[in-house]
Amino acid sequence: VQLLESGGGLVQPGGSLRLSCAASGFTFNIYAMSWVRQAPGKGLKWVSGMSGSGGSTYYADSVKGRFTISRDNSKNTLYLQMNSLRAEDTAVYYCAKGILMVVNPDYYGMDVWGQGTTVTVSS
Amino acid sequence: AIRITQSPSSLSASTGDRVTITCRASQGLSSYLAWYQQKPGKAPKLLIYAASTLQSGVPSRFSGSGSGTDFTLTITCLQSEDFATYYCQQYYSYPFTFGPGTKVDIK
């Protein structure tokens, strides 16, 4: 079971980036997934999540309207489109697989994490 | 959003010690709480979910308890590899939120 993020980099304020998370080793389309970020020297902050089917999406207030989560279950890949980036979005971004919860599958702890991809927003 | 506090924010301990970390939520979570361990430069690792269920492969010296608003992570007989930062996370409602973390270092 593995998650591999890509797409991070240096971007100017107001710019855009799309992060990808390639999943392998599990049946991707039955698991909810999330993006979690960690600013330098800070704690973990949940950013966005999506149900296994892709029918439900959730966002932190700080990114709502700027970030869009999506998934392509045929490619076993999760995405995070980030627009109107700000300096405070600078962080390592992790994708994480939700534990399969029989009751309330959209509410989960996260049992597999990628290695993270670094996003730096700076002029 | 549900606010999560953790105490202490840091602690110093010795190998073999028993360590207890507390997580408190601003509203009831039932048992929708997870605990993670993170080492510098690494991704978090799930230790406990559903407040007290040990994740597969995690040593039995880790245990979780609590429900509602007050939760505890206990590490019995601290090992050298346990020096890390520990976070709790609620998944009772969106947005999911993490506690600020508890750093466990060597005394």
Side-chain angles (χ1 to χ4, degrees):
Chain A
V1 177
Q2 189 173 7
L3 299 172
L4 187 61
E5 303 97 334
S6 60
L10 173 64
V11 61
Q12 292 188 339
S16 298
L17 276 179
R18 188 175 86 153
L19 306 183
S20 299
C21 172
S24 60
F26 63 98
T27 306
F28 183 67
N29 63 6
I30 66 172
Y31 290 92
M33 299 289 295
S34 276
W35 290 97
V36 176
R37 71 185 182 186
Q38 188 167 36
K42 303 297 185 181
L44 301 170
K45 183 175 173 63
W46 178 85
V47 173
S48 182
M50 180 171 245
S51 61
S53 66
S56 299
T57 58
Y58 307 90
Y59 297 95
D61 287 346
S62 58
V63 307
K64 203 172 294 183
R66 299 189 299 124
F67 290 11
T68 302
I69 191 171
S70 62
R71 63 194 296 162
D72 185 337
N73 286 342
S74 68
K75 296 182 177 180
N76 291 348
T77 303
L78 179 74
Y79 303 100
L80 186 67
Q81 177 67 44
M82 305 187 295
N83 298 332
S84 303
L85 283 161
R86 307 166 179 167
E88 55 265 35
D89 296 318
T90 294
V92 174
Y93 285 73
Y94 296 100
C95 72
K97 169 184 165 290
I99 298 169
L100 186 61
M101 307 299 287
V102 175
V103 177
N104 295 331
D106 283 4
Y107 296 82
Y108 50 89
M110 291 165 273
D111 63 347
V112 180
W113 296 64
Q115 85 291 347
T117 187
T118 300
V119 172
T120 304
V121 184
S122 174
S123 55
Chain B
I2 296 176
R3 296 180 305 278
I4 304 288
T5 57
Q6 277 183 245
S7 61
S9 56
S10 65
L11 66 91
S12 296
S14 301
T15 303
D17 285 353
R18 177 187 178 96
V19 167
T20 299
I21 299 168
T22 298
C23 179
R24 176 164 289 174
S26 61
Q27 64 186 77
L29 307 179
S30 182
S31 296
Y32 286 62
L33 186 105
W35 290 96
Y36 301 88
Q37 176 194 69
Q38 188 180 33
K39 296 181 179 179
K42 300 295 187 182
K45 173 187 175 182
L46 177 68
L47 300 174
I48 302 280
Y49 64 95
S52 61
T53 301
L54 191 68
Q55 171 68 356
S56 176
V58 174
S60 59
R61 63 181 179 272
F62 292 91
S63 64
S65 64
S67 66
T69 60
D70 294 312
F71 301 86
T72 299
L73 173 71
T74 300
I75 313 170
T76 57
C77 197
L78 195 70
Q79 300 298 299
S80 57
E81 60 266 32
D82 301 335
F83 292 100
T85 300
Y86 293 84
Y87 296 92
C88 57
Q89 175 232 335
Q90 68 81 18
Y91 52 96
Y92 181 81
S93 72
Y94 282 98
F96 293 163
T97 45
F98 288 87
T102 296
K103 184 175 182 180
V104 177
D105 61 20
I106 301 172
K107 184 183 290 183

